[in-house]
Amino acid sequence: MKRRSFLKGTLATGVAAVAVNAGLLTPSTVLAEWNAKAFGAKSIDDALNAAYGSASAADSADIKLKAPAIAENGAVTPITVDATGLSGVESISIIASKNPMPLVCEYTFGAAATGYVSTRIKMGETQNVIAIAKVGGKLLKAQQEVKVTIGGCGG
């Protein structure tokens, strides 16, 4: 390493450290808001009420929930929710019924988006996975039981 490059790097690092300590590089303006009440809820009804204002969701065959029947590792359970057969999907949420905080994730879509989500969730034990889709102000759901052989929450 050349002496000049070393001095430039050290000076840049020092300036960045001073800016961070002075609060000039605080990322608070770029962090997205999140619904702490819904994600901190201890029951499914409380989570749905906090997220959508209602806990009643009707079963729908138009929502395709794809999850493994047996998840060997509950820490990375693959889940796919396909609501592309519905038009006007506003959001999709995934709930793990026996997790300490059941609302796992919520995706909000724009007007031109299609209702499709594929992700991996953490599950502590065998339980139902519930997909909730908000379509035209109504809540629709599909659910499936997933057996977990090794829990992803330390169990």
Side-chain angles (χ1 to χ4, degrees), residues 28-119:
S28 63
T29 58
V30 296
L31 295 176
E33 287 186 32
W34 72 298
N35 191 341
K37 187 176 179 184
F39 284 99
K42 302 291 183 190
S43 72
I44 295 171
D45 287 347
D46 290 344
L48 289 176
N49 278 325
Y52 297 112
S54 172
S56 63
D59 290 325
S60 174
D62 292 328
I63 300 172
K64 312 264 187 297
L65 174 62
K66 183 179 174 188
I70 299 174
E72 293 182 16
N73 184 358
V76 288
T77 307
I79 304 291
T80 300
V81 180
D82 184 357
T84 55
L86 300 167
S87 62
V89 176
E90 300 169 29
S91 68
I92 291 178
S93 297
I94 298 174
I95 293 173
S97 63
K98 290 185 182 176
N99 275 6
M101 290 176 265
L103 181 59
V104 177
C105 54
E106 178 186 11
Y107 298 91
T108 303
F109 301 102
T114 58
Y116 184 87
V117 170
S118 183
T119 187

